[in-house]
Amino acid sequence: MTTGHVYIATSLDGFVAREDRTLDWLMKQPTEGEDYGYDAFIDSVDGLVMGRGSYETVLTFESWIYTKPVLVMSATLSPDDIPEHLKDKVEITNETNPEKVMSHLAGKGWKRAYVDGGRLVQSFMRAGLVDDITLTLIPILIGRGIRLFGDIEHDIDLELLASQSYGSGLVMNRYKVLKP
């Protein structure tokens, strides 16, 4: 089975994006010259799984930022919605069941999937499909937005594997998700 891995940043009050999905608060952080291990993390995964909201946000960036294959889970998008220049980089699935998506990715030979996007991370966490979380806390309060962790039905225990603070004020924590 393919394992899920999260690498994400939140505001100090727990939001991954504003309500309109914008990331302006994240982009204004003074992080020049600091290595947060993103390249090493990306090298460790076979590709990304993201939801429609994250996908549509990334499409607004100046250029496509991913070098690995991307699977977009969406009940509303179709393969016809993929821009021509991304046809060989992006796949859209209407499957909304995280277990079935991970099974599909295992069939494609994926061993490690980067799970990205607030609501998608929540669904994969509820399904017990996330093995570890790298969470960077950004020193800003934005008040409202899309929460990384929504309501959960039961406790999800985590083990802190590492914590590192940076001169910019960012704090990165890496957790192992403990399985019951």
Side-chain angles (χ1 to χ4, degrees):
M1 179 67 109
T2 303
T3 58
H5 306 271
V6 174
Y7 186 103
I8 201 161
T10 68
S11 61
L12 194 57
D13 47 356
F15 299 106
V16 295
R18 294 194 189 278
E19 289 173 329
D20 65 0
R21 296 191 183 106
T22 57
L23 301 173
D24 60 310
W25 59 273
L26 179 60
M27 303 305 183
K28 72 180 190 179
Q29 299 303 313
T31 59
E32 188 86 15
E34 293 181 341
D35 178 9
Y36 301 101
Y38 179 78
D39 291 338
F41 175 79
I42 282 293
D43 287 346
S44 77
V45 298
D46 297 298
L48 293 84
V49 179
M50 66 176 59
R52 179 190 53 82
S54 295
Y55 173 66
E56 289 176 346
T57 297
V58 173
L59 284 177
T60 68
F61 295 173
E62 287 184 27
S63 61
W64 187 249
I65 60 173
Y66 300 114
T67 57
K68 299 282 178 119
V70 173
L71 177 71
V72 179
M73 291 175 62
S74 172
T76 58
L77 295 177
S78 76
D80 293 338
D81 295 313
I82 302 171
E84 194 59 42
H85 70 285
L86 297 177
K87 295 269 186 199
D88 62 338
K89 297 174 172 64
V90 174
E91 175 186 351
I92 293 179
T93 180
N94 295 124
E95 180 58 65
T96 58
N97 179 300
E99 291 92 346
K100 289 181 181 178
V101 167
M102 292 301 249
S103 180
H104 167 73
L105 295 175
K108 294 178 78 156
W110 289 30
K111 297 197 182 341
R112 292 175 47 92
Y114 173 2
V115 179
D116 192 29
R119 291 185 183 109
L120 196 75
V121 168
Q122 291 174 23
S123 68
F124 276 67
M125 289 290 294
R126 281 191 299 272
L129 296 172
V130 173
D131 283 4
D132 55 71
I133 302 168
T134 301
L135 176 62
T136 302
L137 298 173
I138 309 298
I140 189 170
L141 301 171
I142 64 173
R144 290 191 309 263
I146 299 169
R147 289 205 170 275
L148 174 57
F149 302 111
D151 294 338
I152 55 174
E153 296 172 9
H154 56 81
D155 293 351
I156 299 173
D157 294 316
L158 307 172
E159 175 185 344
L160 179 66
L161 300 175
S163 184
Q164 182 173 355
S165 62
Y166 295 88
S168 62
L170 278 68
V171 177
M172 181 183 289
N173 296 308
R174 185 160 178 266
Y175 299 95
K176 176 181 179 182
V177 178
L178 301 176
K179 308 294 180 179

